[in-house]
Amino acid sequence: MPVSLPPISRRSFLVRSIGGASAVFLAPQLFAGQTDQQANRFALFSDTHIAGDRKLVARGTNMTDNLIQVIKEALAFGPRPASVLVSGDCAFLQGLAGDYKTLLQLIEPLRTGGMPIHFALGNHDNRERLLKIVDDGRSDSSPVVGKHVTVLETPLANWILLDSLDKTNSTPGLLGEVQLHWLEQVLDQQKEKPVLVMVHHNPDSRPKPSGLVETKELLDLLSAHKQVKALLFGHSHHWSISRHENLHLVNLPAVAYVFGKGEPNGWVDASLRADGMTLCLHCIDKQNPRDGQIVNLKWA
Ligand SMILES: [Zn+2]
């Protein structure tokens, strides 16, 4: 199980097996002393694109400055989110060792602030280096051979972070049959709570997708399991909410640069309720008209 960094001050994870699939559980002591709002609140980051060189600017954006800003904002929240989930493209372009060394330094305030961080992998990541440098042997091996997946149990929903990294610095994403089969097994056994699935690549049904190649397979699988309420993803550096049947599709904004003029970049504060999830967009540019936008998702 990959790349799930506990807070520096305390180990907050227990690991056990559900139906042969390893899982990360937030330990009860993490919830003790937290309000419900904390335990059910998550900071959602995507596409941080951190380069080894903190001064590097791409598409007019200094990625380090943006990550520092969103981390400060997440830490300033009262009550703080229970954890941070990062939807891939953690590294700049090629998943270099230097990128991950800088990333590890930049996220330290989250860890000293008591917020665990869970990473999914994107097409600009390198699995081996992310695991070696950022995770540094803290997590168990993945139940999916050659991929890295995380199951995170929280009071009101279980999160499943998938791995759609196929080839580093090659755009489309691939889950693979083994991961899809593993996901089906986990979903068959996790019916008691809503499930939220996070993956880097966006659904993309075009014949030559730049997003997820197995879009139909994944959407069919998630739609067949009614406890799956939302699919969250990044990759397109675009903020939008849509639906596929009863499934909410949440395209998280990039923390780093945007591809389209006026697109918001930043992060999303997600608060779970028993019957849904409230999302609040926090833009890097506080003048962006969408800063502070609130979206209420209701579970079908
Ligand atoms: Zn990206």
Side-chain angles (χ1 to χ4, degrees), residues 65-278:
D65 286 351
N66 283 20
L67 183 58
I68 288 172
Q69 179 179 329
V70 298
I71 286 174
K72 270 190 191 155
E73 289 179 8
L75 282 168
F77 257 61
R80 280 181 186 167
S83 47
V84 179
L85 310 183
V86 185
S87 182
D89 276 5
C90 311
F92 179 44
L93 294 177
Q94 299 171 64
L96 301 177
D99 301 347
Y100 293 121
K101 284 178 188 164
T102 299
L103 176 66
L104 188 61
Q105 291 162 3
L106 292 174
I107 61 174
E108 187 162 329
L110 289 173
R111 301 186 61 212
T112 52
M115 287 165 70
I117 310 143
H118 308 277
F119 294 96
L121 291 142
N123 50 299
H124 290 296
D125 286 309
N126 176 287
R127 193 174 295 109
E128 202 175 48
R129 292 186 202 117
L130 181 56
L131 283 168
K132 187 168 175 220
I133 296 164
V134 181
D135 189 62
D136 192 24
R138 292 174 183 92
S139 301
D140 275 3
S141 58
S142 172
V144 180
V145 175
K147 294 281 195 179
H148 288 282
V149 292
T150 301
V151 179
L152 180 65
E153 277 210 345
T154 73
L156 292 179
N158 294 335
W159 292 85
I160 300 178
L161 276 61
L162 301 176
D163 177 352
S164 58
L165 165 60
D166 181 23
K167 293 186 196 112
T168 299
N169 213 12
S170 165
T171 307
L174 202 67
L175 295 166
E177 272 180 40
V178 175
Q179 183 170 203
L180 284 165
H181 181 63
W182 168 83
L183 178 60
E184 187 170 20
Q185 283 184 317
V186 172
L187 293 176
D188 283 344
Q189 290 164 18
Q190 289 201 357
K191 293 194 166 158
E192 73 287 355
K193 259 189 223 177
V195 170
L196 308 171
V197 176
M198 177 178 273
V199 66
H200 176 69
H201 287 81
N202 55 292
D204 184 348
S205 301
R206 294 173 299 174
K208 286 190 179 173
S210 59
L212 187 64
V213 170
E214 306 112 317
T215 292
K216 179 173 168 32
E217 289 86 342
L218 181 63
L219 292 179
D220 285 353
L221 175 59
L222 300 184
S223 297
H225 291 82
K226 300 300 174 203
Q227 77 274 31
V228 183
K229 304 302 185 189
L231 174 65
L232 301 96
F233 45 89
H235 189 56
S236 58
H237 296 215
H238 172 71
W239 159 247
S240 72
I241 312 276
S242 57
R243 275 177 97 126
H244 171 79
E245 299 174 4
N246 285 329
L247 187 69
H248 294 280
L249 303 178
V250 179
N251 197 160
L252 295 168
V255 171
Y257 38 81
V258 292
F259 298 136
K261 196 166 181 276
E263 283 272 0
N265 51 354
W267 66 288
V268 171
D269 166 33
S271 293
L272 277 166
R273 310 181 307 271
D275 65 346
M277 177 163 65
T278 302

